[in-house]
Every structure is written in structure tokens, then in C-alpha cells.
């Protein structure tokens, strides 16, 4: 059940990205192009997602535990550190350059555009570098 | 509509497994010898779900979703490296911070989302209006 629900969540997430146009880097870059061909539609996608997630999380967490796990695993950190800001800033530069963030890039893999096939392995390498080289044993607590 | 599906997915993952739908976190925890390798098969199932979405779309509609992806090798390689590195260092990406984090009213996620939106805007501004492309 746990695996089925996770698979279903993945397919729904990917379909949401496809339907909304997030899997199209050109559209993402138009969204980020405030002073040019600005396409605000992705802001509504994000707001729509939050509009469902916020009340949904609230409802779900009225339960003591999730359905197929013994506890909710929520990020506990509330401090602001340089990692958070530097990481997010770096992420944003890459997002603007390529028009992909991780979810849409993985979702776009089966369409096999050349750029996607370059981006995804590079992204995995970037993650691996951050995990094993730069951060060492730094422990991931959020997300 | 697409946004609502993304939200529904995040709620299902939380309701079923008690996990945040943060794509970068799910992916990076699968990487071999990661220090935080947890629930690997499950994280893997989510990724399989993502990969299945476009083929399912193809079966239903008869065509793959329209997209334009730059095929410039250095641009896409650097973009991928920065996105992967930044998502791990910053503890999250568009989904984990932008959707789930903001929905939980996490201050860290607000800061992260404003930051990556800001540098994203700036990068596209420089690419399209200063360098020209």
C-alpha cells in the first residue's frame, strides 16, 4: 500500500507538472522573465498547489499518524543559516539558466530532449558533490 | 488545475507516509552512500511515478507535452550542476520549499523561495536582456 500510494503520488505530481507547463523550460523562463515576455501563469500553479496543500496538510495532521507509517516526518529546523540562502541562490541561477528544477527535469526524461538528457545527469552530479564533498557528514534535516 | 494535482500529490504523500513531497530530497536520498539514505525503495517509487507521468499523458492524449529545451551543452550542464548542488545545500527545491514549506508556513521555506525566485529572475534578466539570447 505504501509503495502504491507513493507511486500514485509520483504520477499525480508529474501529471500536474505536465498539465501546468512546468515541464516546459521555455515556459518557466518566460515566467522568470519579469521585464520581457512575462508569463505569470506559473504563479497561479504554485498558488493552486499551496491552496490544496495547506488545508490538506492541516486536515491530515489532525490524525496522530500517517496511514502507512508510524509518524509524520516534518522538518524541525527554524533557524536561518548561510547554507539555506546560498543553496537557494545557487539553485535559482541554475533554474533560470536551464528552465528546469528537479521534478520537471525527471518528469521530462521520457520525452528525451537533448537538453534534458544533459541536465539530469549534471543535476545528479551536483547533488552528489554537495552531499559527499562540500557537506561531508552534514545531516539533512529539512525537506 | 495542474497546481491542484501537485497539491493533491503532496497531501497523499503526507497522509500515506508522513513525508514531505520534496523532489530534490527524494532524489538525493536515493544516491548511493548518501549519509541520509532512508526509505530508498519508497523514494524510488515516487521517482518512477514522475517518469511514468509523460508516457501516461502520451497514452491518453496521443502526443507528448509540448516543450522547448535548450540543447546547448555547457548551458544545460552548468544549469543542472547548480540546481542539484543548490537544492541539496539549501535543503530543498521548488516543491519542498515553494509548495510544501510555504504550506506549512515555514520561515526557512519563505526565505528560500524568495531567494531562488530572486536569483531566477535575475539570471533570466541577464541572459535575455543584457547578454541577449
Amino acid at each position: 500500500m505504501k509503495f502504491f500510494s507513493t507511486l500514485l503520488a509520483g504520477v499525480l505530481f508529474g501529471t500536474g507538472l505536465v498539465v501546468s507547463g512546468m515541464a516546459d523550460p521555455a515556459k518557466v523562463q518566460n515566467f522568470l522573465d519579469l521585464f520581457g515576455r512575462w508569463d505569470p501563469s506559473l504563479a497561479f500553479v504554485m498558488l493552486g498547489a499551496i491552496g490544496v496543500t495547506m488545508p490538506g496538510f492541516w486536515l491530515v495532521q489532525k490524525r496522530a499518524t500517517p496511514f502507512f507509517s508510524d509518524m509524520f516526518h516534518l522538518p524541525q529546523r527554524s533557524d536561518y543559516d548561510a547554507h539555506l540562502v546560498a543553496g537557494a541562490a545557487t539553485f535559482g541561477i541554475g533554474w533560470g539558466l536551464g528552465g528546469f528544477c528537479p521534478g520537471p527535469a525527471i518528469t521530462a526524461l521520457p520525452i528525451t530532449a537533448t537538453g534534458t538528457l544533459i541536465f539530469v545527469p549534471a543535476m545528479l552530479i551536483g547533488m552528489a558533490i554537495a552531499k559527499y564533498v562540500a557537506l561531508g557528514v552534514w545531516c539533512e534535516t529539512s525537506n | 488545475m495542474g497546481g491542484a494535482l501537485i497539491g493533491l500529490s503532496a497531501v497523499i504523500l503526507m497522509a500515506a507516509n508522513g513525508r514531505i513531497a520534496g523532489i530534490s530530497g527524494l532524489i538525493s536520498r536515493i544516491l548511493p552512500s548518501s549519509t541520509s539514505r532512508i526509505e530508498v525503495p519508497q523514494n524510488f517509487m515516487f521517482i518512477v511515478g514522475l517518469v511514468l507521468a509523460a508516457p501516461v499523458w502520451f497514452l491518453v492524449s496521443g502526443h507528448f507535452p509540448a516543450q522547448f529545451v535548450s540543447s546547448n551543452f555547457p548551458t544545460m550542464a552548468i544549469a543542472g550542476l547548480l540546481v542539484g548542488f543548490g537544492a541539496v545545500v539549501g535543503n530543498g527545491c521548488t516543491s519542498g520549499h515553494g509548495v510544501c514549506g510555504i504550506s506549512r508556513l515555514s520561515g526557512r521555506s519563505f526565505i528560500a523561495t524568495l531567494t531562488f525566485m530572486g536569483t531566477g529572475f535575475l539570471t533570466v534578466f541577464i541572459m535575455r536582456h543584457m547578454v541577449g539570447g
Side-chain angles (χ1 to χ4, degrees):
Chain A
M1 243 355 255
K2 206 169 174 175
F3 291 103
F4 179 74
S5 58
T6 311
L7 182 69
L8 176 72
V11 174
L12 281 177
F13 202 103
T15 306
L17 292 173
V18 166
V19 171
S20 63
M22 281 289 288
D24 178 4
K27 192 176 170 74
V28 171
Q29 287 171 326
N30 285 341
F31 164 67
L32 292 173
D33 194 2
L34 268 186
F35 303 99
R37 279 167 284 173
W38 192 47
D39 171 1
S41 60
L42 293 185
F44 295 105
V45 172
M46 198 166 169
L47 289 176
I50 293 171
V52 172
T53 307
M54 195 181 281
F57 273 14
W58 180 77
L59 270 178
V60 164
Q61 286 170 18
K62 289 185 135 189
R63 290 176 52 93
T65 61
F67 289 94
F68 312 120
S69 175
D70 46 11
M71 63 176 289
F72 289 107
H73 307 269
L74 297 174
Q76 301 300 329
R77 289 178 64 176
S78 58
D79 59 312
Y80 304 102
D81 61 356
H83 275 149
L84 178 75
V85 176
T90 310
F91 175 86
I93 296 172
W95 191 36
L97 263 183
F100 268 141
C101 50
I106 299 284
T107 304
L109 266 182
I111 309 172
T112 64
T114 308
T116 313
L117 300 180
I118 301 167
F119 183 92
V120 171
M123 175 178 87
L124 296 178
I125 293 170
M127 287 178 165
I129 293 174
K131 280 233 171 230
Y132 317 135
V133 184
L135 299 173
V137 291
W138 179 63
C139 153
E140 185 177 332
T141 48
S142 158
N143 184 25
Chain B
M1 172 63 192
L5 284 176
I6 295 170
L8 183 62
S9 162
V11 174
I12 289 176
L13 201 63
M14 182 58 70
N17 306 340
R19 287 278 172 200
I20 293 279
I23 311 296
S24 61
L26 292 171
I27 301 172
S28 65
R29 285 192 211 104
I30 299 176
L31 294 173
S33 74
S34 161
T35 50
S36 50
R37 273 190 118 213
I38 45 167
E39 301 189 340
V40 172
Q42 237 169 285
N43 295 344
F44 190 70
M45 286 311 277
F46 192 93
I47 306 302
V48 170
L50 281 183
V51 171
L52 285 178
V56 167
W57 178 266
F58 181 84
L59 287 177
V60 174
S61 70
H63 57 85
F64 272 124
Q67 59 166 193
F68 176 79
V69 193
S70 161
S71 48
N72 182 302
F73 186 88
T75 304
M76 293 311 283
I78 292 168
L81 282 173
L82 294 177
V83 163
F85 186 84
V88 169
V89 174
N91 277 135
C93 58
T94 331
S95 52
H97 280 311
V99 175
C100 296
I102 287 185
S103 294
R104 296 171 48 251
L105 302 176
S106 153
R108 277 173 62 86
S109 291
F110 274 106
I111 299 284
T113 305
L114 287 176
T115 306
F116 65 64
M117 289 256 179
T119 55
F121 286 136
L122 197 66
T123 304
V124 171
F125 182 79
I126 293 172
M127 271 191 341
R128 285 195 175 167
H129 302 289
M130 293 172 73
V131 181

